[in-house]
């Protein structure tokens, strides 16, 4: 896929560019090409730079309170240059009651302080490429999830009898499960033990007994893929990816869509080796 | 503490200076007690030993680790100086008078961005920015309104102004004259620290060389006119806000301080003539003990630099005096009331570290400029620390803590490593031009952001202990109509003043700017008095000096 080009600009006179610089670096780490204009750019200069550099999106940063006058001016200047198709997102110290006004003026989205850079990067990826035209087929099985009554009791079979390496055990509080990963070739077994009666693993075991719970497929572009599946009418458990183990992004497809098998989609965290 | 038979001279010296200080500034109470009636001494220190005497010593004595005055807050609290300014001069004047009525003891003026970058309110660059983050000052007329009915011989004023500091200082002098207050009676501080603008804050105008010239011009002018103004406030605050660590804040600030000293020496000034008027400005973040150690280390390092490296003779030149502001970037837009607690911790660290003046941020500053109510709570925070906590009843209460002393030593060590590195690059000006400090800070800022997102660093209410439904607090709104009103008033001043005189004085300023060793301050003062505007004066210098455009 072609690299997304982003123009990060600081309109107005304010010189605090910590936020702009952090965002620029984060987007680069997400594989985008980032052009930073430097301080004190007028709306005219920003629009000119965006057109000249042929960027896919503009990010504006402001802390001084001038956003109400300056952000809409950038939109106006883009219009004058027939470049209204370049989306503009904004961030900085911006009171929430100003956000509807800015959106109405044509800003696509506002990210205020405390927003995560990952959320911003994913937002931009989806904004530029909603259907991510190149949805590749999954390349491997990330892991096979097996529901067990007790990890401690199950592990001797996997590690001693089969001789697989135990990679680690972790607790996922939000799901009320404890998981253990055992490596086999380029994939893994994930043993899942319920930590409380309310855990989905407990429900599964109560209904079906111990056994294969799900198969996880490693994918890229997870959110675009979900959107695609959704528009294709595939029944999903999660329509948006959420954070799973090792900061990966995960989502489940409903077993009804896959002949009774629960599939997990799993996109490893960027920068991790797998 | 025990008195031994053989009283060492350093201890005796300190006792002598305590007696002397007490004559001028008697202690706030005749005796200090805890709530259980346990008496609190002025200072706690070990039975004398060499390590203590050399590394810590006594407050008011070299190397000042424990404070720059012998009795510190036992005699007088720090100056409670809240930074304020927004909208028009008239509106800001009202807030000033409110804060003075509430017990604030010094003024601190925030200017809007056009003023800080030397543009008039009607300049095309000023669009949308007039009166937003501070007060708009175009001409002497605005300054007169800003200081209306504020007795400049009684109130000390700090002005956060850097690139055009010379112009604003001249306006202050001119208002003083009109009030009948002679120049030597005016007290206060101008920030006037251009190096940190290049490093971290971005409100520069001219390139480094002419900027350094204007700064040394101010040093010289104030010295000649016996002005008791702090001619510079060498600021680590913005370096920290840009994302540096405490060590980087300290190291880069002290390196900048050395660059100003070098520039002043090079222009022919005597070290002991200007060094006592240098002041510093630090940040206070949440890591309590590290902050306290930072302030203590700062004093010790600077004292050694001034005495040993620059060979200053006057002890006043050795003393690092500083203002502290609590950390704006530590405040969250989420659950803003939590910020009151953060500010309290930070203010406490500043007081434990021996600050000379303090600004406490308001809880709503991650959202907008403070409302009157939140500004009052911020001031009350200081007053509670001063009057109710008892931490001001003994000097340097954390001195001698194994942890704090070790941290102070480590801090000094790490700072010295950076100073050595900057020296190798060729000094702070060179390091700034090469972007060394900027890169170090940006790297750290990005690391911090990643740590917060991975929840390796917990920010209460932001990445943990979140609320689903935030209550939106009332925020201060700067009236959008203000910009036009300010432009109208500026046009009126331009129409009423003696234009010929203004033109003539600006021409003189231009000619003098071309003379390398001419001091520009008297010419700026003349122009200001004739109601030449900030923009007009800065434009002359822009033409002559050029613009700095960043890295």
């Amino acid at each position: 896929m072609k690299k997304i080009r982003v123009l990060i600009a600081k309109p107005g006179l304010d010189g605090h560019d910590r936020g702009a610089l952090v965002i620029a670096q984060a987007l680069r780490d997400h594989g985008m090409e980032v052009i930073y204009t430097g301080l004190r750019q007028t709306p005219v200069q920003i629009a000119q730079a965006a057109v000249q550099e042929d960027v896919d999106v503009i990010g504006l940063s402001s802390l001084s309170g001038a956003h109400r006058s300056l952000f809409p001016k950038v939109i106006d200047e883009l219009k004058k240059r027939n470049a209204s198709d370049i989306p503009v997102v904004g961030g900085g110290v911006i009171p929430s009651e100003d956000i509807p006004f800015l959106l109405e003026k044509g800003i696509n989205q506002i990210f205020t302080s405390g927003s995560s850079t990952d959320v911003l990067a994913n937002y931009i990826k989806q904004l530029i490429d909603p259907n991510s035209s190149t949805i590749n087929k999954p390349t491997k099985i990330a892991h096979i999830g097996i529901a067990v009554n007790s990890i401690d009791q199950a592990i001797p079979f996997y590690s001693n009898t089969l001789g697989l390496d135990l990679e680690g055990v972790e607790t996922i509080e939000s799901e009320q499960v404890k998981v253990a990963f055992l490596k086999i070739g380029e994939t893994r077994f994930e043993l899942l033990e319920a930590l409380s009666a309310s855990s989905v693993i407990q429900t599964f075991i109560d209904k079906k007994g111990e056994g294969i719970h799900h198969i996880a497929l490693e994918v890229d572009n997870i959110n675009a893929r979900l959107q695609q599946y959704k528009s294709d009418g595939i029944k999903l458990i999660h329509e948006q990816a959420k954070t799973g183990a090792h900061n990966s992004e995960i989502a489940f497809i409903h077993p009804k869509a896959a002949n009774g098998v629960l599939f997990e989609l799993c996109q490893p965290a960027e920068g991790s080796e797998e | 503490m025990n008195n031994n038979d053989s009283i060492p001279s350093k201890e005796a010296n300190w006792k002598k200076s305590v007696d002397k200080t007490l004559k001028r500034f008697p202690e706030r109470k005749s005796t200090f007690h805890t709530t259980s009636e346990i008496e609190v001494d002025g200072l706690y220190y070990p039975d004398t030993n060499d390590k203590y005497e050399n590394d810590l010593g006594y407050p008011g004595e070299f190397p000042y680790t424990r404070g720059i005055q012998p009795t510190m807050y036992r005699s007088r609290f720090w100056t409670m100086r809240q930074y304020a300014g927004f909208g028009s001069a008239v509106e800001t004047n009202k807030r000033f008078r409110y804060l003075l009525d509430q017990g604030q003891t010094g003024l601190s003026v925030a200017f809007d961005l056009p003023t800080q970058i030397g543009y008039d309110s009607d300049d095309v660059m000023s669009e949308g920015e007039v009166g937003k983050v501070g007060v708009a000052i175009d001409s002497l007329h605005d300054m007169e309104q800003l200081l209306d009915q504020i007795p400049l011989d009684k109130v000390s004023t700090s002005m956060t102004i850097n690139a055009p500091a010379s112009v604003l200082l001249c306006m202050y002098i001119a208002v003083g004259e009109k009030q009948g207050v002679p120049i030597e009676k005016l007290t206060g501080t101008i920030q006037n620290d251009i190096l940190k603008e290049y490093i971290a804050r971005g409100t520069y105008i001219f390139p480094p060389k002419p900027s350094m010239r204007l700064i040394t011009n101010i040093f010289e002018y104030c010295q000649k006119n016996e002005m008791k103004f702090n001619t510079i406030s060498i600021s680590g605050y913005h370096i920290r806000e840009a994302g540096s660590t405490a060590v980087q804040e300290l190291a880069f600030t002290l390196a900048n301080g050395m660059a100003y000293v070098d520039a002043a020496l090079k222009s022919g000034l005597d070290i002991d003539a200007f060094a006592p008027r240098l002041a510093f400005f630090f940040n206070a973040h949440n890591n309590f003990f590290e902050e306290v150690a930072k302030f203590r280390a700062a004093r010790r390092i600077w004292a050694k630099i001034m005495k040993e490296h620059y060979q200053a003779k006057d002890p006043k030149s050795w003393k690092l005096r500083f203002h502290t502001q609590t950390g704006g970037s530590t405040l969250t837009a989420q659950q803003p009331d939590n910020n009151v607690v953060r500010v309290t911790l930070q203010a406490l660290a500043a007081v434990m570290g021996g600050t000379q003046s303090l600004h406490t941020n308001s809880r709503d500053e991650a959202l907008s400029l403070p409302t009157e109510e939140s500004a009052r709570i911020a001031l009350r925070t200081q007053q509670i620390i001063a009057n109710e906590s008892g931490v001001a009843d003994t000097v340097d209460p954390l001195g001698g803590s194994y942890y704090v002393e070790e941290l102070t030593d480590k801090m000094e060590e790490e700072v010295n490593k950076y100073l050595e590195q900057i020296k190798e690059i060729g000094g702070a000006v060179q390091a700034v031009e090469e972007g060394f400090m900027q890169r170090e800070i940006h790297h750290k800022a990005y690391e911090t952001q990643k740590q917060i997102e991975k929840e390796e660093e917990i920010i209460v209410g932001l990445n943990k202990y979140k609320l689903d439904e935030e209550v939106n607090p009332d925020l201060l709104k700067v009236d959008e109509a203000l910009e036009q009103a300010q432009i109208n008033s500026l046009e009126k001043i331009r129409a009423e003043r003696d234009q010929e005189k203004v033109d003539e004085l600006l021409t003189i300023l231009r000619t003098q700017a071309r003379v390398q060793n001419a001091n520009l301050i008297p010419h700026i003062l003349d122009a200001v008095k004739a109601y030449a505007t900030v923009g007009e004066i800065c434009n002359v210098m822009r033409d002559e000096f050029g613009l700095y455009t960043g890295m």
Side-chain angles (χ1 to χ4, degrees):
Chain A
M1 202 176 84
K2 179 177 152 281
K3 270 195 171 186
I4 296 174
R5 282 167 72 78
V6 189
L7 184 79
I8 298 288
K10 273 204 65 86
L13 301 179
D14 154 56
H16 297 90
D17 58 357
R18 173 182 182 166
L21 291 166
V22 164
I23 295 287
Q25 188 57 48
L27 296 183
R28 281 185 192 116
D29 284 3
H30 276 270
M32 302 183 199
E33 262 177 65
V34 181
I35 300 139
Y36 175 48
T37 59
L39 302 177
R40 293 187 211 164
Q41 299 296 300
T42 61
V44 174
Q45 288 171 316
I46 292 167
Q48 272 171 356
V51 171
Q52 266 166 26
E53 298 281 352
D54 189 24
V55 296
D56 299 303
V57 59
I58 300 173
L60 301 176
S61 161
S62 167
L63 282 84
S64 69
H67 52 270
R68 279 180 73 98
S69 8
L70 295 175
F71 286 11
K73 285 219 173 81
V74 173
I75 302 279
D76 291 345
E77 292 299 330
L78 286 171
K79 262 186 211 144
K80 279 188 204 162
R81 288 165 180 74
N82 290 322
S84 299
D85 56 320
I86 304 178
V88 179
V89 297
V93 176
I94 294 171
S96 53
E97 64 257 44
D98 283 353
I99 294 176
F101 167 81
L102 294 171
L103 298 182
E104 189 196 313
K105 291 284 172 188
I107 307 291
N108 286 66
Q109 189 64 279
I110 296 291
F111 292 86
T112 51
S113 68
S115 303
S116 126
T117 53
D118 286 340
V119 170
L120 171 66
N122 289 331
Y123 175 81
I124 290 177
K125 283 178 193 167
Q126 280 189 60
L127 185 68
I128 302 311
D129 206 357
N131 290 316
S132 195
S133 49
T134 50
I135 291 187
N136 303 308
K137 55 188 176 190
T139 48
K140 69 178 186 192
I141 291 173
H143 61 258
I144 295 168
I146 298 168
V148 298
N149 280 323
S150 156
I151 281 180
D152 288 342
Q153 284 170 26
I155 274 178
F157 170 75
Y158 288 91
S159 67
N160 301 344
T161 311
L162 296 180
L164 303 178
D165 294 331
L166 176 64
E167 276 189 328
V169 179
E170 64 177 284
T171 300
I172 303 168
E173 284 295 347
S174 57
E175 303 294 319
Q176 281 298 294
V177 290
K178 191 161 117 179
V179 298
F181 281 101
L182 296 124
K183 202 165 161 66
I184 173 161
E186 60 167 14
T187 181
R188 286 166 182 75
F189 290 115
E190 181 188 31
L191 306 183
L192 301 128
E193 177 191 321
L195 289 177
S196 72
S198 63
S199 160
V200 290
I201 295 302
Q202 196 55 53
T203 320
F204 178 86
I205 288 177
D206 290 344
K207 238 194 226 169
K208 299 189 175 171
E210 289 181 295
I212 293 185
H213 175 260
H214 69 268
I215 296 172
L217 304 175
E218 187 168 316
V219 297
D220 55 8
N221 286 330
I222 188 162
N223 279 316
R225 187 178 307 267
L226 289 168
Q227 204 149 0
Q228 174 85 54
Y229 290 172
K230 194 183 151 198
S231 60
D232 292 350
I234 304 295
K235 203 166 178 203
L236 302 172
I237 293 177
H238 304 109
E239 296 190 58
Q240 282 277 322
K242 55 179 195 165
T243 308
H246 309 302
N247 277 323
S248 58
E249 294 190 78
I250 60 160
F252 283 90
I253 301 174
H254 201 280
K256 279 208 171 123
N259 315 85
V261 177
L262 177 61
F263 274 107
E264 176 186 341
L265 302 178
C266 174
Q267 178 173 324
E270 244 138 330
S272 74
E273 49 182 324
E274 284 146 339
Chain B
M1 286 270 108
N2 298 333
N3 286 333
N4 295 334
D5 293 339
S6 55
I7 298 170
S9 64
K10 280 187 181 170
E11 187 183 4
N13 277 344
W14 168 66
K15 287 191 168 161
K16 227 194 282 164
S17 57
V18 167
D19 292 341
K20 221 172 103 193
T21 304
L22 290 181
K23 280 186 195 121
R24 284 179 63 213
F25 304 109
E27 291 188 336
R28 288 181 281 113
K29 302 177 193 170
S30 54
T31 54
F32 290 84
H33 290 282
T34 68
T35 54
S36 314
E37 299 295 321
I38 297 168
E39 193 171 341
V40 178
D41 286 345
L43 184 75
Y44 293 85
Y45 53 100
D47 288 341
T48 51
N49 63 56
D50 285 349
K51 185 167 163 40
Y52 174 78
E53 301 241 318
N54 290 332
D55 293 350
L56 299 175
Y58 299 89
E61 308 283 326
F62 184 87
Y64 306 102
T65 315
R66 307 200 64 185
I68 58 159
Q69 296 121 3
T71 56
M72 291 296 288
Y73 311 135
R74 296 261 290 192
S75 295
R76 217 170 44 162
F77 290 131
W78 59 93
T79 305
M80 299 181 192
R81 201 190 282 285
Q82 296 294 97
Y83 181 58
F86 56 91
S88 68
V90 172
E91 213 173 334
T92 304
N93 175 266
K94 268 190 221 150
R95 174 70 71 88
F96 281 166
R97 287 202 262 151
Y98 172 81
L99 287 168
L100 291 171
D101 283 348
Q102 294 300 310
Q104 182 171 309
T105 47
L107 293 182
S108 181
V109 190
F111 296 97
D112 71 356
L113 286 164
T115 308
Q116 291 188 47
I117 308 176
Y119 293 118
D120 285 339
S121 297
D122 59 351
D123 194 294
V124 59
M125 290 299 288
S126 305
E127 230 181 301
E129 305 271 19
V130 176
K132 283 282 160 61
V133 301
V135 57
I137 300 289
D138 288 312
S139 72
L140 182 59
H141 171 74
D142 296 324
M143 200 68 157
E144 287 163 3
Q145 292 196 314
L146 180 74
L147 301 168
D148 182 39
Q149 296 178 57
I150 293 171
L152 298 193
D153 52 345
K154 293 199 182 73
V155 169
S156 90
T157 306
S158 161
M159 297 194 281
T160 303
I161 195 76
N162 293 282
S166 51
V167 184
L168 275 299
L169 177 67
C170 286
M171 285 185 175
Y172 195 81
I173 295 170
V175 174
E177 244 178 66
K178 290 203 162 183
Q179 282 193 4
V181 181
I183 187 165
E184 66 272 11
K185 283 266 168 66
L186 298 173
T187 56
T189 307
I190 39 172
Q191 199 165 75
N192 199 25
D193 172 7
I194 203 66
L195 290 173
K196 67 102 192 350
E197 295 295 340
Y198 302 126
I199 296 172
R201 190 164 170 266
T203 39
Y204 39 69
I205 306 177
F206 319 115
K209 261 204 194 115
S211 296
M212 295 299 273
R213 169 186 171 187
L214 282 171
I215 290 169
T216 50
N217 281 178
I218 292 173
F219 288 0
E220 189 188 42
Y221 184 86
C222 291
Q223 186 205 328
K224 267 198 189 143
N225 292 280
E226 290 171 25
M227 202 174 171
K228 281 197 270 317
F229 237 73
N230 297 315
T231 47
I232 193 167
S233 172
I234 307 157
S235 307
Y237 184 81
H238 316 89
I239 291 173
R240 190 68 178 282
E241 290 301 284
S244 83
T245 63
V247 163
Q248 289 171 337
E249 175 193 352
L250 194 47
F252 298 163
T253 309
L254 296 181
N256 289 348
M258 292 176 77
Y260 294 120
V261 172
D262 289 335
L265 292 175
K266 216 173 138 196
S267 77
L269 295 175
D270 171 53
I271 182 109
D272 286 316
F274 68 86
R277 302 250 54 92
L278 305 177
F280 287 82
F281 172 20
F282 291 116
N283 207 317
H285 276 204
N286 287 329
N287 196 301
F288 184 78
F289 291 107
E290 182 179 49
E291 295 301 310
V292 176
K294 178 184 78 183
F295 299 125
R296 300 172 85 248
R299 272 191 299 270
R300 187 158 74 200
I301 302 168
W302 188 247
K304 288 183 188 168
I305 289 173
M306 293 312 284
K307 189 179 180 200
E308 290 157 14
H309 178 74
Y310 290 111
Q311 311 272 315
K313 298 280 177 298
D314 185 348
K316 281 188 193 145
S317 305
W318 305 337
K319 290 184 197 181
L320 178 146
R321 297 168 300 129
F322 68 100
H323 167 72
T324 308
Q325 181 174 337
T326 59
S329 65
T330 67
L331 305 185
T332 58
Q334 296 77 12
Q335 304 175 46
D337 285 347
N338 293 348
N339 295 327
V340 176
V341 183
R342 293 190 177 98
V343 168
T344 306
L345 267 173
Q346 297 164 2
L348 198 57
V351 170
M352 298 283 221
T355 196
Q356 275 60 62
S357 83
L358 179 60
H359 167 108
T360 32
N361 286 342
S362 300
R363 59 182 169 170
D364 45 5
E365 288 189 44
L367 296 156
S368 74
L369 290 182
T371 60
E372 190 164 284
E373 189 196 3
S374 60
R376 186 184 64 237
I377 295 171
L379 175 61
R380 292 287 181 263
T381 305
Q382 294 198 42
Q383 291 164 337
I384 290 168
I385 291 174
N387 296 288
E388 299 182 18
S389 75
V391 297
D393 290 351
T394 188
V395 179
D396 188 31
L398 293 178
S401 147
Y402 295 121
Y403 180 41
V404 171
E405 294 305 346
E406 175 72 18
L407 267 181
T408 308
D409 291 350
K410 275 271 154 58
M411 215 95 192
E412 182 174 15
E413 204 181 301
E414 294 297 317
V415 167
N416 280 332
K417 275 186 205 160
Y418 260 125
L419 290 179
E420 202 50 48
Q421 221 174 333
I422 291 165
K423 194 174 139 197
E424 272 167 33
I425 294 171
V429 180
Q430 185 72 23
V432 168
E433 283 179 341
E434 288 179 15
F436 168 74
M437 293 144 166
Q438 295 90 317
R439 277 195 305 278
E440 292 283 307
I441 297 168
H442 297 162
H443 176 71
K444 190 65 209 168
Y446 186 49
E447 290 290 297
T448 307
Q449 175 67 23
K450 283 200 289 194
Q451 279 166 1
I452 292 171
E453 290 188 11
K454 281 192 219 143
E455 294 181 25
E456 286 165 6
E457 201 167 302
I458 301 297
I459 312 286
V460 173
L462 187 138
N463 60 5
K464 217 171 175 185
Y465 314 111
K466 291 185 259 193
L467 284 182
D468 290 336
E469 289 285 325
E470 288 272 352
V471 182
N472 288 334
D474 291 334
L475 299 177
L476 181 108
K477 280 264 169 261
V478 176
D479 188 359
E480 300 279 335
L482 179 131
E483 190 159 319
Q484 197 48 51
Q486 182 67 23
I487 292 171
N488 294 346
S489 137
L490 171 63
E491 278 165 359
K492 191 159 168 270
I493 292 295
R494 285 215 189 97
E496 284 170 1
R497 68 188 180 181
D498 180 346
Q499 189 60 40
E500 239 171 79
K501 194 172 171 200
V502 171
D503 292 341
E504 186 195 322
L505 291 168
L506 289 177
T507 309
I508 295 173
L509 177 62
R510 183 180 300 276
T511 330
Q512 291 298 307
R514 291 175 188 162
V515 181
Q516 268 310 312
N517 47 10
N519 191 321
L520 296 182
I521 308 300
H523 308 293
I524 295 173
L525 184 57
D526 289 343
V528 156
K529 284 183 186 168
Y531 293 84
T533 64
V534 171
E536 288 160 348
I537 294 169
C538 288
N539 280 340
V540 166
M541 295 196 279
R542 261 189 203 101
D543 284 352
E544 296 304 320
F545 297 152
L547 270 180
Y548 182 77
T549 50
M551 234 56 71

